[in-house]
Amino acid sequence: MHTDRALDLALEHLGVDGASLDDAGRQTLEFGDGIPAQIEELDDTTVRLVAFIDAIKLTEPLAKREVLEANCLGAGTGAARYSADTVTGRAKLSQTVDLAPLDDEGFAAALHQFTGHVAYWMAEHADQLNVQIASDKHAKAQMSENATTIIRG
């Protein structure tokens, strides 16, 4: 499969007609439930799917750990991988797809799996993680408040 066909399939899936890649070889699309993702052309038979997951705050140690665990053997990301965007520091989920061995159904399945992981991280899991981060911060604040200094002499 060629990258032009992959873009056509993605657009068909969304019911969009006539979009094309920009000068940088990217097209930003919005999948169901407001899931923004980019398709980047790497070469004639390879694309990268990219989504920024702003709900994951990589400045939080617990979020960093969660992302590392998710990346481990694809346990929480499938074929995609988390990274920090080098310019913005935002959490970025990306997947490189070799289109050469894929037919239309194979690419549609890869796209569906990717957007499923993005949806999970944008909504469900991010909410749970942010609650856990807030709870940890509250517990640490309580421990600091209740701490007693003992001086031995």
Side-chain angles (χ1 to χ4, degrees), residues 104-128:
D104 290 3
E105 291 80 25
F107 178 69
L111 194 58
H112 180 73
Q113 182 187 33
F114 178 76
T115 56
H117 283 288
V118 173
Y120 171 74
W121 282 93
M122 284 182 73
E124 258 177 75
H125 195 67
D127 289 346
Q128 294 168 4

Side-chain angles (χ1 to χ4, degrees), residues 53-60 62-63 66 121-138:
I53 315 293
D54 290 328
I56 303 296
K57 306 297 180 206
L58 292 179
T59 54
E60 296 292 338
L62 187 58
E66 198 71 21
W121 282 93
M122 284 182 73
E124 258 177 75
H125 195 67
D127 289 346
Q128 294 168 4
L129 181 58
N130 289 329
V131 166
Q132 189 175 356
I133 289 169
S135 176
D136 284 358
K137 283 183 175 182
H138 179 71

Side-chain angles (χ1 to χ4, degrees), residues 63-85:
K64 289 177 188 175
R65 178 186 172 133
E66 198 71 21
V67 165
L68 285 171
E69 288 178 358
N71 273 344
C72 183
L73 303 176
T77 59
R81 291 292 173 261
Y82 261 111
S83 63
D85 183 70

